[in-house]
């Protein structure tokens, strides 16, 4: 049997559990965002993002943790809290950018002062260093103050501002939700067919996440048709972006309108079996997507002009 790379063993173990959950028809990172928050470190105040967010949320689902607080053993000790004997921690990753010449972390203040050409030249001296840390959930720790749960009220007006400020046309009709990259249009079923506002806006934001792939936005490959690997990878990115946006805006994510859910689950299973690292790649991209979408709340986006604009036909 081929020996596992120790540096990636924690990744492989995690992805195996994700695949097992998906095969049972359960999306492991789904939680009730109305009653929970993004995973965070109560000692440093850090909000875990990207792949660490997905990993910690999934482990919470695997182990039925309702506490969103995570920290290292040393951080718990500093607070006079005690990780219970026999508890197993969860591996997370941290990347730092290292300057080869100085062998020190990148001086971001200096780097930001460089011209674009200078940055391109300087980038040749940089590399990413990945470090892993083991963290424990609040429910694995004795002495930690009781979690104060807060009921978050969803401000749908602000979410609607995101849709309006995106300046992307939304067509209502039919029973499918999708984004058309050719026409830069989002298609949604009529709002009244959704069971509540949460479901409607969750679905709309999912399609808005796809729209960021447009060449004049974040420029991703949106050419893959349903059933292809490239489509499955894009769906995974939009899925994770929806999770991050849901956490930020308080949406109850598991109520969204997901078309062909069984087919999507199988496509994600196939992708992750072919390349377990895709879950980490997708979550990194999803972080960029969610940041881009959330800025719409306060910034009206310019209208993207199309050289040939056709009406989107929706069969009713």
């Amino acid at each position: 049997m081929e020996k596992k790379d120790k540096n990636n063993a924690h990744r492989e173990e995690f992805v195996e559990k994700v695949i097992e959950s998906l095969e049972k028809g359960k999306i492991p990172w789904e939680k009730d965002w109305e009653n929970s928050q993004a995973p965070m470190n109560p000692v440093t105040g850090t909000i875990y993002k990207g792949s660490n967010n997905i990993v910690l949320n999934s482990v919470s689902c695997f182990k039925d943790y309702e506490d969103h607080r995570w920290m290292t053993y040393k951080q718990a000790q500093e607070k006079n809290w005690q990780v219970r004997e026999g508890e197993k921690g969860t591996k997370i990753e941290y990347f730092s950018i290292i300057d080869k010449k100085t062998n020190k972390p990148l001086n971001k203040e200096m780097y930001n002062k460089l011209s674009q050409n200078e940055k391109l030249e300087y980038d040749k001296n940089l590399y990413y260093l990945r470090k892993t840390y083991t963290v424990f959930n609040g429910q694995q720790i004795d002495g930690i103050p009781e979690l104060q749960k807060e009921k978050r009220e969803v401000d749908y007006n602000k979410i609607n501002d995101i849709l309006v400020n995106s300046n992307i046309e939304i067509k209502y009709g039919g029973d499918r939700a999708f984004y058309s990259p050719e026409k830069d249009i989002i298609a949604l079923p009529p709002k009244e067919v959704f069971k509540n506002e949460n479901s409607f806006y969750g679905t709309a934001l999912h399609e808005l996440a796809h729209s960021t792939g447009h060449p004049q936005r974040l420029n991703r490959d949106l050419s893959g048709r349903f059933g292809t690997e490239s489509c499955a990878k894009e769906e995974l990115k939009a899925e994770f972006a929806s999770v991050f946006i849901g956490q930020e805006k308080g949406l109850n994510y598991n109520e969204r309108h997901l078309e062909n859910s069984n087919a999507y689950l199988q496509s994600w299973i196939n992708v992750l079996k072919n390349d377990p690292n895709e879950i980490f790649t997708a979550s990194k991209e999803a972080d960029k997507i969610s940041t881009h979408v959330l800025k719409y709340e306060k910034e009206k986006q310019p209208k993207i002009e199309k050289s040939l604009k056709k009406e989107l036909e929706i069969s009713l």
Side-chain angles (χ1 to χ4, degrees):
M1 177 182 271
E2 185 177 342
K3 190 175 181 179
K4 284 188 176 181
D5 180 352
K6 288 185 178 180
N7 293 325
N8 288 318
H10 67 282
R11 283 190 169 199
E12 294 176 13
E13 181 181 352
F14 169 69
V15 175
E16 286 172 3
K17 290 181 180 179
V18 168
I19 291 173
E20 181 181 342
S21 180
L22 293 174
E23 287 177 335
K24 294 178 180 177
K26 169 64 177 174
I27 299 177
W29 46 83
E30 274 195 349
K31 294 185 73 178
D32 182 352
W33 298 126
E34 202 169 29
N35 296 307
S36 63
Q37 302 171 46
M40 58 86 69
N41 187 311
V43 179
T44 64
T46 299
I47 302 295
Y48 295 105
K49 297 182 177 295
S51 61
N52 289 336
N53 185 305
I54 295 299
V55 168
L56 296 178
N57 273 314
S58 298
V59 171
S60 291
C61 290
F62 295 149
K63 299 187 176 182
D64 293 325
Y65 292 149
E66 294 184 3
D67 198 321
H68 67 289
R69 298 171 296 177
W70 296 82
M71 71 211 75
T72 65
Y73 187 94
K74 183 178 180 180
Q75 287 170 335
Q77 279 191 319
E78 289 172 353
K79 290 289 188 178
N80 293 319
W81 305 335
Q82 182 60 52
V83 176
R84 288 192 292 274
E85 186 176 353
E87 291 286 354
K88 183 179 179 181
T90 299
K91 295 282 187 182
I92 60 172
E93 299 177 349
Y94 175 76
F95 288 85
S96 55
I97 306 175
I98 304 298
D99 186 325
K100 293 178 184 177
K101 290 184 178 180
T102 64
N103 203 30
K104 294 181 179 179
L106 171 67
N107 183 329
K108 292 184 180 179
E109 184 178 352
M110 175 276 297
Y111 184 79
N112 290 334
K113 292 179 181 178
L114 299 178
S115 68
Q116 193 60 36
N117 288 335
E118 288 173 330
K119 286 180 179 178
L120 290 173
E121 186 62 28
Y122 193 82
D123 286 347
K124 299 175 183 177
N125 299 319
L126 303 176
Y127 69 94
Y128 282 93
L129 178 66
R130 182 178 72 175
K131 293 183 179 181
T132 60
Y133 295 88
T134 301
V135 293
F136 296 86
N137 183 265
Q139 289 181 216
Q140 297 176 285
I141 300 171
D142 290 328
I144 188 171
E146 184 179 353
L147 178 66
Q148 300 299 313
K149 292 186 179 181
E150 57 180 84
K151 183 77 171 180
R152 300 175 68 189
E153 295 297 329
V154 183
D155 190 337
Y156 292 111
N157 289 325
K158 289 185 177 181
I159 298 176
N160 193 64
D161 287 342
I162 291 175
L163 297 180
V164 173
N165 288 345
S166 72
N167 230 337
I168 299 174
E169 184 177 1
I170 299 179
K171 289 278 189 176
Y172 294 95
D175 59 357
R176 294 179 57 219
F178 62 90
Y179 167 67
S180 170
E182 295 83 8
K183 300 176 177 67
D184 194 33
I185 290 175
I186 290 173
L188 292 173
K191 189 173 182 179
E192 57 268 20
V193 307
F194 292 86
K195 60 182 179 180
N196 52 40
E197 282 191 301
N198 195 111
S199 180
F200 167 75
Y201 282 111
T203 302
L205 289 173
H206 180 93
E207 301 309 327
L208 196 60
H210 283 308
S211 74
T212 64
H214 189 282
Q216 295 186 46
R217 296 186 185 102
L218 298 182
N219 192 23
R220 294 190 308 279
D221 179 13
L222 301 178
S223 62
R225 299 297 176 185
F226 185 76
T228 64
E229 184 176 89
S230 61
C231 177
K233 289 181 177 181
E234 169 61 21
E235 282 298 335
L236 198 57
K237 293 168 188 173
E239 172 83 357
F240 290 158
S242 299
V243 170
F244 300 155
I245 296 168
Q247 291 173 342
E248 179 70 23
K249 306 312 297 180
L251 287 172
N252 184 347
Y253 181 62
N254 59 12
E255 288 188 1
R256 90 277 196 222
H257 185 88
L258 183 61
E259 300 285 349
N260 303 310
S261 57
N262 290 334
Y264 278 132
L265 295 187
Q266 189 56 54
S267 70
W268 294 338
I269 291 169
N270 294 338
V271 164
L272 296 181
K273 283 184 174 180
N274 290 335
D275 181 9
N277 283 322
E278 183 58 33
I279 200 167
F280 299 90
T281 302
S283 54
K284 181 180 179 180
E285 286 298 305
D287 214 21
K288 297 177 184 176
I289 294 170
S290 60
T291 298
H292 188 86
V293 169
L294 287 168
K295 76 178 183 181
Y296 293 170
E297 184 180 326
K298 297 180 179 179
E299 298 178 17
K300 181 78 171 181
Q301 301 303 297
K303 187 73 174 177
I304 292 178
E305 297 298 331
K306 296 175 278 293
S307 58
L308 180 61
K309 186 174 181 180
K310 296 180 179 179
E311 284 295 316
L312 180 64
E313 295 180 0
I314 302 175
S315 56
L316 300 176

